[in-house]
Amino acid sequence: MTGKLVRLYDYPASCNCYKVRLLLAHLGIAYERVPTDIFNGETLTDEYSRINPMRTTPVLETEDGRHLPESNAILLYLAQGTSYRPEDAFGMAHAVRWLIYEQTDVIPMIGGLRFRLLVGRSSPSDPDAIRRRNGAGPVLSLLDDHLSQSKFFVATRYTIADIAIYGYTHLAHEAGLDMQPYANLRSWFERVEQQPGYVEDVEPYGANAGAAPGAGQSIYD
Ligand SMILES: N[C@@H](CCC(=O)N[C@@H](CS)C(=O)NCC(=O)O)C(=O)O
Protein backbone atom coordinates (compact mmCIF):
# COMPACT_ATOMS: atom_id res chain seq x y z
CA MET A 1 0.00 0.00 0.00
CA THR A 2 1.31 3.43 -0.97
CA GLY A 3 -1.19 5.35 1.18
CA LYS A 4 -2.20 7.30 -1.93
CA LEU A 5 -5.77 7.48 -3.13
CA VAL A 6 -6.81 6.48 -6.62
CA ARG A 7 -7.46 9.57 -8.72
CA LEU A 8 -10.16 10.12 -11.31
CA TYR A 9 -9.64 12.58 -14.17
CA ASP A 10 -13.22 13.59 -14.39
CA TYR A 11 -15.61 15.91 -16.21
CA PRO A 12 -18.69 16.31 -13.97
CA ALA A 13 -21.26 16.51 -16.81
CA SER A 14 -20.01 13.38 -18.55
CA CYS A 15 -22.01 10.20 -18.02
CA ASN A 16 -18.92 8.19 -18.98
CA CYS A 17 -17.26 9.74 -15.92
CA TYR A 18 -20.45 9.31 -13.88
CA LYS A 19 -20.43 5.54 -14.55
CA VAL A 20 -17.05 5.33 -12.79
CA ARG A 21 -18.14 7.65 -9.96
CA LEU A 22 -21.20 5.43 -9.47
CA LEU A 23 -19.15 2.24 -9.15
CA LEU A 24 -16.65 3.95 -6.82
CA ALA A 25 -19.60 5.01 -4.65
CA HIS A 26 -21.08 1.49 -4.60
CA LEU A 27 -17.68 0.10 -3.62
CA GLY A 28 -17.11 2.79 -0.98
CA ILE A 29 -13.68 3.57 -2.45
CA ALA A 30 -12.29 6.97 -1.43
CA TYR A 31 -10.76 8.76 -4.39
CA GLU A 32 -9.39 12.10 -5.44
CA ARG A 33 -11.30 13.83 -8.18
CA VAL A 34 -9.20 15.69 -10.73
CA PRO A 35 -11.68 18.05 -12.41
CA THR A 36 -10.77 18.17 -16.10
CA ASP A 37 -12.44 20.85 -18.15
CA ILE A 38 -12.71 19.07 -21.49
CA PHE A 39 -14.15 22.19 -23.15
CA ASN A 40 -11.35 24.46 -22.01
CA GLY A 41 -8.42 22.65 -23.61
CA GLU A 42 -7.44 20.67 -20.51
CA THR A 43 -7.36 17.38 -22.44
CA LEU A 44 -5.40 18.95 -25.31
CA THR A 45 -2.12 19.44 -23.42
CA ASP A 46 1.00 17.30 -23.90
CA GLU A 47 0.77 16.31 -20.24
CA TYR A 48 -2.78 14.98 -20.68
CA SER A 49 -1.78 13.14 -23.85
CA ARG A 50 0.80 11.20 -21.82
CA ILE A 51 -2.00 10.18 -19.44
CA ASN A 52 -4.41 9.34 -22.27
CA PRO A 53 -3.45 9.77 -25.94
CA MET A 54 -7.16 9.57 -26.82
CA ARG A 55 -7.58 12.83 -24.82
CA THR A 56 -10.86 11.69 -23.25
CA THR A 57 -12.20 11.51 -19.71
CA PRO A 58 -12.53 9.49 -17.54
CA VAL A 59 -9.03 8.28 -16.75
CA LEU A 60 -8.29 6.35 -13.56
CA GLU A 61 -4.90 6.79 -11.88
CA THR A 62 -4.12 3.82 -9.66
CA GLU A 63 -2.50 4.18 -6.22
CA ASP A 64 0.86 3.35 -7.82
CA GLY A 65 0.51 5.96 -10.57
CA ARG A 66 -0.60 3.90 -13.59
CA HIS A 67 -3.26 5.32 -15.89
CA LEU A 68 -6.32 3.58 -17.30
CA PRO A 69 -8.60 5.37 -19.81
CA GLU A 70 -11.97 4.12 -21.17
CA SER A 71 -14.90 4.12 -18.78
CA ASN A 72 -15.85 0.50 -19.30
CA ALA A 73 -12.25 -0.72 -18.93
CA ILE A 74 -12.18 1.18 -15.63
CA LEU A 75 -15.43 -0.51 -14.53
CA LEU A 76 -13.93 -3.93 -15.32
CA TYR A 77 -10.76 -3.11 -13.38
CA LEU A 78 -12.45 -1.68 -10.29
CA ALA A 79 -15.05 -4.44 -10.13
CA GLN A 80 -12.45 -7.24 -10.12
CA GLY A 81 -13.17 -9.57 -7.21
CA THR A 82 -16.44 -7.86 -6.25
CA SER A 83 -20.09 -8.78 -6.70
CA TYR A 84 -20.35 -6.15 -9.45
CA ARG A 85 -18.43 -8.40 -11.84
CA PRO A 86 -19.87 -11.84 -12.76
CA GLU A 87 -17.48 -14.57 -11.64
CA ASP A 88 -18.38 -17.21 -14.25
CA ALA A 89 -16.97 -17.02 -17.77
CA PHE A 90 -20.36 -16.97 -19.49
CA GLY A 91 -21.76 -14.25 -17.24
CA MET A 92 -18.57 -12.23 -17.67
CA ALA A 93 -18.76 -12.55 -21.45
CA HIS A 94 -22.34 -11.28 -21.34
CA ALA A 95 -21.27 -8.32 -19.20
CA VAL A 96 -18.63 -7.48 -21.82
CA ARG A 97 -21.27 -7.84 -24.52
CA TRP A 98 -23.31 -5.09 -22.84
CA LEU A 99 -20.26 -2.93 -22.23
CA ILE A 100 -19.56 -3.09 -25.99
CA TYR A 101 -23.19 -2.42 -26.93
CA GLU A 102 -23.24 0.59 -24.63
CA GLN A 103 -20.27 2.09 -26.47
CA THR A 104 -21.37 1.23 -30.02
CA ASP A 105 -25.11 1.94 -29.81
CA VAL A 106 -26.28 3.52 -26.54
CA ILE A 107 -23.71 6.33 -26.49
CA PRO A 108 -23.91 7.46 -30.13
CA MET A 109 -27.70 7.39 -30.30
CA ILE A 110 -28.65 8.57 -26.80
CA GLY A 111 -25.58 10.21 -25.20
CA GLY A 112 -24.46 11.85 -28.43
CA LEU A 113 -27.95 13.20 -29.12
CA ARG A 114 -28.36 14.51 -25.57
CA PHE A 115 -24.99 16.25 -25.59
CA ARG A 116 -25.49 17.94 -28.96
CA LEU A 117 -29.00 19.16 -28.13
CA LEU A 118 -28.19 20.36 -24.61
CA VAL A 119 -25.17 22.43 -25.64
CA GLY A 120 -26.69 23.80 -28.82
CA ARG A 121 -24.43 21.93 -31.23
CA SER A 122 -27.53 20.52 -32.91
CA SER A 123 -31.23 21.33 -33.09
CA PRO A 124 -33.98 18.66 -33.05
CA SER A 125 -34.63 19.14 -36.79
CA ASP A 126 -31.01 18.73 -37.92
CA PRO A 127 -30.47 15.61 -40.07
CA ASP A 128 -27.85 14.37 -37.60
CA ALA A 129 -30.28 14.74 -34.66
CA ILE A 130 -33.01 12.96 -36.63
CA ARG A 131 -30.62 10.11 -37.48
CA ARG A 132 -29.65 9.71 -33.83
CA ARG A 133 -33.27 9.96 -32.60
CA ASN A 134 -34.37 7.36 -35.15
CA GLY A 135 -31.52 5.14 -33.96
CA ALA A 136 -32.37 5.63 -30.29
CA GLY A 137 -35.81 4.00 -30.57
CA PRO A 138 -34.53 0.53 -31.56
CA VAL A 139 -31.79 0.76 -28.90
CA LEU A 140 -34.29 1.56 -26.14
CA SER A 141 -36.64 -1.17 -27.41
CA LEU A 142 -33.87 -3.76 -27.40
CA LEU A 143 -32.88 -2.84 -23.83
CA ASP A 144 -36.51 -2.80 -22.69
CA ASP A 145 -37.17 -6.22 -24.30
CA HIS A 146 -34.15 -7.68 -22.54
CA LEU A 147 -35.44 -6.40 -19.20
CA SER A 148 -38.82 -8.04 -19.79
CA GLN A 149 -37.06 -11.36 -19.12
CA SER A 150 -34.56 -10.37 -16.49
CA LYS A 151 -34.32 -7.99 -13.50
CA PHE A 152 -30.81 -6.91 -14.45
CA PHE A 153 -28.72 -7.07 -17.62
CA VAL A 154 -26.67 -10.13 -16.66
CA ALA A 155 -28.14 -13.01 -14.71
CA THR A 156 -30.15 -11.89 -11.71
CA ARG A 157 -27.66 -9.52 -10.18
CA TYR A 158 -26.74 -5.83 -10.50
CA THR A 159 -23.35 -5.67 -12.23
CA ILE A 160 -21.11 -3.33 -14.22
CA ALA A 161 -23.30 -4.10 -17.25
CA ASP A 162 -26.16 -2.28 -15.48
CA ILE A 163 -23.90 0.58 -14.41
CA ALA A 164 -22.65 1.08 -17.98
CA ILE A 165 -26.13 1.02 -19.55
CA TYR A 166 -27.65 3.18 -16.81
CA GLY A 167 -25.08 5.97 -17.35
CA TYR A 168 -26.69 7.49 -20.44
CA THR A 169 -30.12 5.81 -20.53
CA HIS A 170 -31.31 7.31 -17.23
CA LEU A 171 -30.98 10.76 -18.83
CA ALA A 172 -32.41 9.79 -22.23
CA HIS A 173 -35.38 12.11 -21.56
CA GLU A 174 -32.91 15.01 -21.69
CA ALA A 175 -32.32 14.05 -25.34
CA GLY A 176 -36.03 14.62 -25.94
CA LEU A 177 -36.71 10.87 -25.99
CA ASP A 178 -40.08 9.80 -24.61
CA MET A 179 -39.45 7.06 -22.04
CA GLN A 180 -43.15 6.36 -21.45
CA PRO A 181 -43.22 3.29 -23.78
CA TYR A 182 -40.29 1.67 -21.96
CA ALA A 183 -41.87 0.43 -18.72
CA ASN A 184 -39.24 -2.26 -18.13
CA LEU A 185 -36.44 0.28 -18.39
CA ARG A 186 -38.27 2.65 -16.04
CA SER A 187 -38.70 -0.13 -13.43
CA TRP A 188 -35.05 -1.07 -13.82
CA PHE A 189 -34.03 2.58 -13.23
CA GLU A 190 -35.79 2.27 -9.85
CA ARG A 191 -33.97 -1.00 -9.07
CA VAL A 192 -30.63 0.62 -9.91
CA GLU A 193 -31.48 3.61 -7.71
CA GLN A 194 -32.11 1.27 -4.76
CA GLN A 195 -28.61 -0.22 -4.86
CA PRO A 196 -26.39 0.46 -1.80
CA GLY A 197 -24.24 3.55 -2.22
CA TYR A 198 -26.14 4.81 -5.29
CA VAL A 199 -25.34 8.42 -6.23
CA GLU A 200 -26.51 10.66 -9.04
CA ASP A 201 -24.15 13.59 -9.40
CA VAL A 202 -24.17 14.34 -13.14
CA GLU A 203 -23.83 18.10 -13.49
CA PRO A 204 -25.61 20.03 -16.24
CA TYR A 205 -23.54 20.99 -19.27
CA GLY A 206 -24.86 24.48 -18.68
CA ALA A 207 -22.37 24.78 -15.82
CA ASN A 208 -19.68 24.88 -18.51
CA ALA A 209 -20.20 27.58 -21.10
CA GLY A 210 -17.28 26.20 -23.15
CA ALA A 211 -19.44 23.26 -24.20
CA ALA A 212 -21.34 25.46 -26.64
CA PRO A 213 -20.16 25.37 -30.26
CA GLY A 214 -17.13 27.57 -30.88
CA ALA A 215 -16.99 28.68 -27.23
CA GLY A 216 -14.17 26.46 -26.04
CA GLN A 217 -11.39 24.13 -27.09
CA SER A 218 -11.99 20.39 -27.17
CA ILE A 219 -11.68 17.37 -29.43
CA TYR A 220 -15.16 18.32 -30.69
CA ASP A 221 -13.97 21.69 -32.07
N1 LIG B 1 -15.05 5.54 -25.03
C1 LIG B 1 -14.68 6.54 -24.09
C2 LIG B 1 -15.38 7.84 -24.45
C3 LIG B 1 -14.95 8.95 -23.53
C4 LIG B 1 -15.41 10.32 -23.98
O1 LIG B 1 -15.81 10.53 -25.14
N2 LIG B 1 -15.33 11.25 -23.06
C5 LIG B 1 -15.71 12.63 -23.35
C6 LIG B 1 -16.65 13.10 -22.27
S1 LIG B 1 -18.12 12.10 -22.26
C7 LIG B 1 -14.44 13.47 -23.32
O2 LIG B 1 -13.70 13.43 -22.35
N3 LIG B 1 -14.14 14.24 -24.36
C8 LIG B 1 -12.89 15.01 -24.38
C9 LIG B 1 -12.94 16.29 -25.13
O3 LIG B 1 -14.02 16.70 -25.55
O4 LIG B 1 -11.89 16.94 -25.31
C10 LIG B 1 -15.04 6.11 -22.66
O5 LIG B 1 -16.03 5.38 -22.50
O6 LIG B 1 -14.35 6.49 -21.72
Side-chain angles (χ1 to χ4, degrees), residues 13 21 52 82-83 104 109 126 130 132 141 155 183 185 191 203:
R21 299 197 299 270
N52 176 12
T82 76
S83 67
T104 57
M109 296 309 163
D126 286 346
I130 293 169
R132 289 177 197 268
S141 293
L185 269 170
R191 288 195 288 282
E203 289 186 13

Side-chain angles (χ1 to χ4, degrees), residues 14 16 38 43 55-58 70-71 103 168 218-220:
S14 157
N16 278 317
I38 65 173
T43 54
R55 302 187 183 280
T56 54
T57 55
E70 285 298 328
S71 56
Q103 293 280 311
Y168 282 95
S218 74
I219 58 172
Y220 303 107

